[in-house]
Amino acid sequence: MALVAAAVAVWLVGWWINARLARLPLEGAARLLPPLVFGVTLLLIWELAVRGLGVSPVLLPAPSAIWARLVASLPTLRADVMQTFVKGALSGYVIGCGAAILTGIAVDRMPFLRRGLLPVGNLVSALPIVGMAPIMVMWFGFDWESKAAVVVLMVFFPMLVNTVQGLAATEPMQADLMRTYAASYWQTLFTLRLPAASPFIFNGLKISTTLALIGAIVAEFFGSPTVGMGFRISTEVGRLALDMVWAEIAVAALVGSAFYGAVALIERAATFWHPSQRR
Amino acid sequence: MTRMARDVLPVLTVVAGLLVVWYVLAVVLNAGFARDQAERDGVTLGPRALVAATLEQERPRLPAPHQLAAELWKTTVEVAPTSKRSLVYHAWVTLAATLAGFALGAGLGIALAIGIVHDRTMDASVMPWVIASQTIPILAVAPMVIVVLASVGVTGLLPKAIISMYLCFFPVVVGMVKGLRSPDRMLLDQMRTWNASAAQTLGKLRWPAALPYLFASLKVGVAASLVGTIIGEMPTGAVAGLGARMLSGSYYGQTIQIWAALAMAAMLAAVLVGLIGLVERVTAAAMGGRR
């Protein structure tokens, strides 16, 4: 009971600190403080509540237990990340996004095709493409190729729609200016239209990072070699080793955030001129 | 007619093009099996017979569109909707959980957004975690959530609804925070000169201004809800729903069944997104907006 009371106390203290912090004018790295306090509070409450209420580790393991398991099984987790993220998600991401951007540029040359493709692409983006996973596993086998194929399918249409919209975002004035310079199609494309489209393209690239990881993990539920994040999650759930599952989730969240962050950093470097990047 | 020619014709062309690609792929992908079959029967197939054989297989690698249409017709119209073999039944199971999750997620998202807009503490501490929450690939964990909830006795519609809620609330929070903050300084100052309370400002200024954002994020949210529910139906133990249908199809190699479930899911998604678009247009008209 004392631990539960402590959990409530931690919650109140955390809230109070953040209420005080919110009133201060925070700058730079200090702006990370409130979410950090919130996160630490959450973890402490979780730990205290699980211990205080005696929650079975089969239902919800304590953060400390998860951390212990994570540290203990680093080699396994490393192998899983290599299989699922590097081989499956990353290769599919590169192929899918690359193909979509090239298709987008090709489609853009034909306005008729563009008008037809945008509604279809928007519709397909809303469809549950993950459902294609079992079919891709049937076509490409159990190893990472089928995972990459699912990822390609998942990222292709959001990326295509964003590219086509981005290429349409060129200001007519600027396009006219390029024409007065007698610029060729390719010169206009590389010096004006692709840069103008890059905020849209990066938006698509960022959305696709999460889609890629999810696609690669879910595809492993339908068959995989005995390594991989999805494989690990589904087998450890079967063995009720929930601390391992949570460790895998933590790693997935970390890898996913790092992937997203990396793309966001590249975006900042590549589109520093755009208003949304100014500070 | 001009509008028809401008908007509908290109879409139809693209769809027709996709169908052609589909048929070609079906022929290419199924040709190997057809040839093997013919060899075993001791016949050699001419090109025409080969094409015909690829489009009529029982368990093709890629079913042709007409096979898919036939399967859809068979499982929706020719079977009673209450039967376990009816796709309407499975679609209904999925739809119910999707709608429950969507309602929960949209409600939670709107409540969180209102809190974030009005309370600086929540803005500073909760918002980053709303974003961080989405780095957890919930779809990948969905089977675990289902298994764990089942072991505490929560089964049926609710576990699936929780997963779709988790997927759905995020776009709603992000969109609504943006929307509730969209009225500019001048308008907010105007409300203050009228001595409007926070609730009045919310009801008369912020909420109406946020509606376009709301509908845009609801469309994303409902699609995410559907995906969440389908994945939630995939772990073993689920016997009904489009996800279970896909899984059993993949176990028994019934490719046509998987594709039919996929097509049904696609139709559900299109109808749900379309419905929200309709509500959006009606609301906009009722508010005197011009679109």
Side-chain angles (χ1 to χ4, degrees), chain B residues 131-206:
Chain B
I131 295 169
S133 76
Q134 297 302 306
T135 62
I136 295 181
I138 182 73
L139 282 182
V141 212
M144 181 193 77
V145 176
I146 302 280
V147 169
V148 166
L149 285 177
S151 69
V152 269
V154 183
T155 50
L157 184 144
L158 197 60
K160 293 186 271 174
I162 289 175
I163 288 167
S164 58
M165 174 188 94
Y166 191 96
L167 280 175
C168 168
F169 94 96
F170 176 69
V172 177
V173 174
V174 173
M176 277 308 274
V177 167
K178 219 176 197 175
L180 290 172
R181 286 201 176 131
S182 63
D184 64 46
R185 207 67 249 164
M186 289 269 276
L187 292 171
L188 286 170
D189 284 345
Q190 176 77 83
M191 290 307 274
R192 196 160 308 136
T193 61
W194 285 333
N195 197 23
S197 67
Q200 282 171 324
T201 313
L202 177 68
K204 295 191 196 315
L205 174 60
R206 287 187 190 271

Side-chain angles (χ1 to χ4, degrees), chain A residues 53-122:
Chain A
L53 298 173
V55 179
S56 153
V58 173
L59 288 183
L60 187 66
S64 55
I66 296 168
W67 176 252
R69 173 50 76 100
L70 195 146
V71 174
S73 38
L74 273 181
T76 321
L77 293 171
R78 238 179 93 97
D80 289 348
V81 169
M82 283 304 287
Q83 169 74 20
T84 304
F85 178 70
V86 179
K87 285 192 196 158
L90 212 54
S91 56
Y93 179 82
V94 171
I95 298 171
C97 291
I101 292 174
L102 292 181
T103 315
I105 293 173
V107 162
D108 184 67
R109 294 206 83 163
M110 287 162 275
F112 180 78
L113 209 55
R114 188 178 66 217
R115 273 204 304 275
L117 207 67
L118 262 188
V120 176
N122 272 323

Side-chain angles (χ1 to χ4, degrees), chain A residues 31 267-269 271-279:
Chain A
R31 268 185 308 185
E267 175 185 24
R268 178 165 293 177
T271 62
F272 58 89
W273 45 269
H274 194 259
S276 67
Q277 298 291 342
R278 278 187 214 135
R279 275 188 278 172

